[in-house]
Amino acid sequence: MYAVIATGGKQYKVSEGDIIRVEKLGVEAGQTYTFDQVLAVNDTEMKVGTPLIEGATVEASVIGDGKAKKVIVYKYKRKSGYHKKNGHRQQYTEVKIEKIHA
């Protein structure tokens, strides 16, 4: 059984027991979080929402927060001596999928 959920502007295909990294949720570690934007569920047959499935939720427990690897942003204009180096680390929340309610 798997589900497709939407969070943080992205879509994730999840099954029970999966550990995924999503955009930062602002929830403490050890708490549970419920994803209510479920786009599709497949248990024995595929159910696709228009755009969401009513009443379907995915429960997850929060493992913790973190930062992804650094991405270097380098701006450069030739002949003018302009160059600028900048870095960015995206924050994420790591969650474990506990139960899919369809």
Side-chain angles (χ1 to χ4, degrees):
M1 174 180 216
Y2 68 88
V4 178
I5 61 171
T7 179
K10 298 176 183 67
Q11 296 177 4
Y12 301 91
K13 178 185 171 188
V14 296
S15 314
E16 292 181 9
D18 285 354
I19 297 176
I20 59 170
R21 291 180 174 179
V22 297
E23 296 291 321
K24 187 164 183 181
L25 297 174
V27 181
E28 295 291 324
Q31 293 183 342
T32 60
Y33 187 81
T34 302
F35 296 102
D36 55 350
Q37 293 186 342
V38 179
L39 305 173
V41 174
N42 185 1
D43 41 2
T44 54
E45 63 181 62
M46 186 73 168
K47 295 180 209 165
V48 180
T50 55
L52 302 176
I53 298 176
E54 290 188 30
T57 58
V58 174
E59 290 183 17
S61 60
V62 177
I63 296 173
D65 294 330
K67 287 186 176 182
K69 293 180 88 173
K70 184 177 277 192
V71 176
I72 303 297
V73 180
Y74 191 77
K75 297 180 180 180
Y76 173 77
K77 293 193 187 268
R78 64 191 182 117
K79 299 181 182 176
S80 65
Y82 172 80
H83 59 92
K84 187 174 186 179
K85 184 179 181 182
N86 200 353
H88 175 74
R89 292 183 70 188
Q90 187 67 35
Q91 296 183 346
Y92 65 83
T93 300
E94 199 167 37
V95 297
K96 180 178 181 183
I97 305 300
E98 299 292 341
K99 187 77 176 146
I100 298 174
H101 301 286

